[in-house]
Amino acid sequence: VFKFVADAPTTTQQRLKGLLTGGLPTFIDVSASFGGTSLREDNVVSQLHRAGKRMAISGDDTWAELFDVNATFGVEAAMYPSFDVKDTETVDAGVRYRMNEALARPQDWDVLIGHMLGADHVGHTHGATTDAMRTKLAQNDVDIENIIDAMRSDERFENSLLLVFGDHGMTDNGDHGGGTAEEVESFLLAYHPWAKHDVSCTAEDEILPQIDFAPTLATLLGVPIPHGNLGRVNQQILSLGHAKDVDRVHAEYLYALHENSEQIWNYISTY
């Protein structure tokens, strides 16, 4: 488990852009949060699409503003309306249904994305430190436990990795968008259901900048790191991804650092 630290602005669309590119969306870009602009920069999803990886997605329809969903995800996409902040259940229920379906047929996809929104809407509507939030987070805990149970009971997931994270935090009043500690700090849980050894973290390693997500995910999935990435591959998550084959971990990490360094040098030179 990591403290997952974002860069402002902490609005949903900008955080998705940052997570998928490894870059730093500017405050100027925050004006697009409610208008919607496609993601034109090189990113992990586009790299996966070009590599022929099959992606299934369900959740917040902000993704439909960033990508041509039909062309990128095909029939494995189910987007739910996200603008009504008083609706704390529709998106979560849709994701829950689609995730359960997809987990029963892992042979049909390579990457499975579920973007639940209930906790965000509960915060906006009721606040972050309310009984309503405690109830919603308990519900999400059960969702995570059910996914883990499904993965642990099926050998087809023996080379899979589960990543659960929030794209931003929020103030006690349920607001986000700025750069306060409450808004930029979230969490990331990395879990390998068939790992043969535990990957521990030191206190220093427990903080994970969100810009490190894109290069780490790209490396795990065997696609190029996005051109504009400024983050570095995380050793602990990469090790966990190879937890069934510990002999490969050190060599894989050294190779990943080399590719990561070349990518950043190429970006700086081009820029």
Side-chain angles (χ1 to χ4, degrees), residues 126-257:
H126 302 287
T129 56
T130 60
D131 288 340
M133 181 62 80
R134 280 183 279 275
T135 298
K136 171 55 69 175
L137 294 182
Q139 182 186 75
N140 289 158
D141 282 347
V142 173
D143 292 327
I144 296 167
E145 289 167 4
N146 288 339
I147 292 171
I148 287 174
D149 287 343
M151 295 175 71
R152 292 184 66 180
S153 63
D154 189 337
E155 290 188 3
R156 291 178 295 178
F157 290 104
E158 66 176 353
N159 293 314
S160 301
L161 186 68
L162 173 66
L163 299 172
V164 184
F165 56 89
D167 57 333
H168 56 74
M170 61 175 58
T171 65
D172 288 349
N173 292 328
D175 298 324
H176 60 92
T180 66
E182 290 84 358
E183 294 167 283
V184 301
E185 291 179 2
S186 184
F187 76 97
L188 183 143
L189 164 70
Y191 182 82
H192 192 311
W194 290 77
K196 292 188 179 298
H197 76 288
D198 184 34
V199 178
S200 60
C201 294
T202 66
E204 180 179 319
D205 295 325
E206 289 173 357
I207 296 176
L208 179 67
Q210 285 196 8
I211 58 171
D212 291 355
F213 180 79
T216 302
L217 187 63
T219 300
L220 283 167
L221 294 170
V223 297
I225 296 171
H227 172 74
N229 164 70
L230 294 172
R232 67 173 184 176
V233 176
N234 180 270
Q235 183 177 10
Q236 280 67 39
I237 295 177
L238 188 67
S239 297
L240 190 63
H242 294 296
K244 285 204 69 183
D245 189 1
V246 295
D247 294 333
R248 288 179 55 193
V249 171
H250 185 65
E252 287 283 345
Y253 182 58
L254 290 179
Y255 179 75
L257 283 183

Side-chain angles (χ1 to χ4, degrees), residues 59-62 78-85 87 90-91 117 121:
D60 185 337
D61 59 4
T62 301
M79 300 288 96
Y80 303 97
S82 61
F83 201 72
D84 182 3
V85 296
D87 181 356
T90 296
V91 178
L117 198 61
H121 281 189

